[in-house]
Amino acid sequence: MSPSRSRASDAQRTAVLQALDAAFAEGRLDHFEHFERTRTATRAKYVDDLRPLVADLRGGDDDLGLGAGREDDDDNATTGSPRTGRRGARIGIAVAVAVLAVFGGVVAASVSDGPAGSPGTDKWSAVTGEVGPGPLHTLDGMTQMLAAAEAEFGGQDIDTLGIHGDRASLMLEDPTEPGKRLIYVFRGQWQESNFDSHPAANTFRLSDIDPGVVVAAIDAAPAELGMDDDARTSHVSVYPDALGQPEFVVNISEGPGDPLGQVTVGVDGQVREIREPR
């Protein structure tokens, strides 16, 4: 009789999703690969469904809680560990929006004209092509991007959404061909990039995303992670939670190539999980 398969825990699925986000931010996965693996990880039921998704990215998966003898890693998520914690804090949206409003005047032109550069510090400008903060991480830029998505996709359900400083990308079902997933990329406007023929597990609605909540999470994430003043947002990943509402994972780095820290926030602005840089 073959040994029974180990059920994947929420903590294990989250760890894999965050590893995939980090690999995408570092350029080791393209849009299609990231969406494909993210979709698989989101609906994975067993640990051995998760292992292949990171096997070629990390050189080993034991640190993600997927190794032999580590069948359930939920205790780390609930009791806290050096890398993971949960807090019952609510992010102050009004404060975050007020701080970010300083940048609002240049957002409209930046989004329309194409990608904008990262902040002008030597630490961030030294690496050409580094995915970093930009206009879509401001309130005005994110509002415009989401408004364009609402206009383009109407009330369609969304599988995943990634918000980078100078672009965004999402996956959804093709309304003309059920089961076929389409990938779109936003750089001033939404354009189809690729497709994935496999069905998704859970979805969310764009109308449930409050850009103020997301921008507040971006603003508060460095402090939540205890990072220094040079920390910048790499990207925000939006996934459906168990109730079909969007959940926001803010990925923060202290410099190009540095490990990512992550703060997960619910649709209500409540911090759900904190993972310090690995």
Side-chain angles (χ1 to χ4, degrees):
M1 179 181 297
S2 60
S4 60
R5 302 173 70 189
S6 298
R7 285 268 181 174
S9 68
D10 287 341
Q12 289 168 324
R13 277 187 288 268
T14 298
V16 169
L17 289 169
Q18 291 172 336
L20 295 174
D21 285 346
F24 180 47
E26 294 162 3
R28 292 191 288 152
L29 292 176
D30 61 24
H31 286 282
F32 178 78
E33 291 171 320
H34 178 258
F35 272 122
E36 168 70 13
R37 297 191 192 196
T38 294
R39 177 197 58 78
T40 302
T42 300
R43 67 178 188 173
K45 292 183 178 180
Y46 300 99
V47 174
D48 56 8
D49 293 329
L50 293 172
R51 290 192 183 108
L53 303 178
V54 293
D56 61 340
L57 298 177
R58 307 182 63 84
D61 55 26
D62 188 63
D63 60 330
L64 297 180
L66 308 181
R70 299 183 61 179
E71 298 179 0
D72 194 331
D73 205 27
D74 277 330
D75 289 343
N76 285 341
T78 55
T79 62
S81 74
R83 300 191 185 281
T84 305
R86 294 182 183 269
R87 304 183 185 181
R90 183 176 296 278
I91 296 173
I93 295 174
V95 175
V97 171
V99 172
L100 289 167
V102 175
F103 302 100
V106 298
V107 170
S110 297
V111 174
S112 298
D113 293 343
S118 299
T121 61
D122 292 341
K123 189 173 185 178
W124 287 92
S125 61
V127 179
T128 302
E130 177 73 18
V131 174
L136 296 189
H137 291 156
T138 67
L139 183 62
D140 285 350
M142 191 172 301
T143 299
Q144 290 184 38
M145 180 271 292
L146 290 172
E150 285 275 13
E152 181 75 23
F153 308 114
Q156 294 184 60
D157 293 338
I158 305 299
D159 296 1
T160 56
L161 171 66
I163 308 171
H164 295 260
D166 61 1
R167 70 185 188 277
S169 54
L170 62 77
M171 176 186 283
L172 49 71
E173 185 175 59
D174 186 343
T176 66
E177 190 175 338
K180 179 180 177 181
R181 322 309 289 186
L182 300 176
I183 298 174
Y184 286 82
V185 175
F186 178 83
R187 281 191 170 92
Q189 61 182 356
W190 287 99
Q191 295 182 327
E192 187 174 344
S193 174
N194 212 322
F195 71 92
D196 176 354
S197 60
H198 299 286
N202 298 316
T203 57
F204 61 88
R205 292 294 182 96
L206 288 167
S207 58
D208 289 333
I209 298 177
D210 183 341
V213 170
V214 186
V215 174
I218 289 172
D219 184 62
E224 293 284 354
L225 288 162
M227 288 185 166
D228 63 30
D229 292 339
D230 288 334
R232 297 289 187 271
T233 301
S234 167
H235 60 290
V236 180
S237 297
V238 187
Y239 305 111
D241 65 13
L243 299 178
Q245 293 184 318
E247 184 175 68
F248 315 110
V249 182
V250 183
N251 296 266
I252 303 289
S253 175
E254 291 183 319
D258 286 354
L260 292 172
Q262 287 128 350
V263 177
T264 301
V265 177
V267 70
D268 58 355
Q270 192 81 13
V271 176
R272 295 181 174 178
E273 186 174 6
I274 293 173
R275 286 184 177 267
E276 297 176 1
R278 292 183 178 274

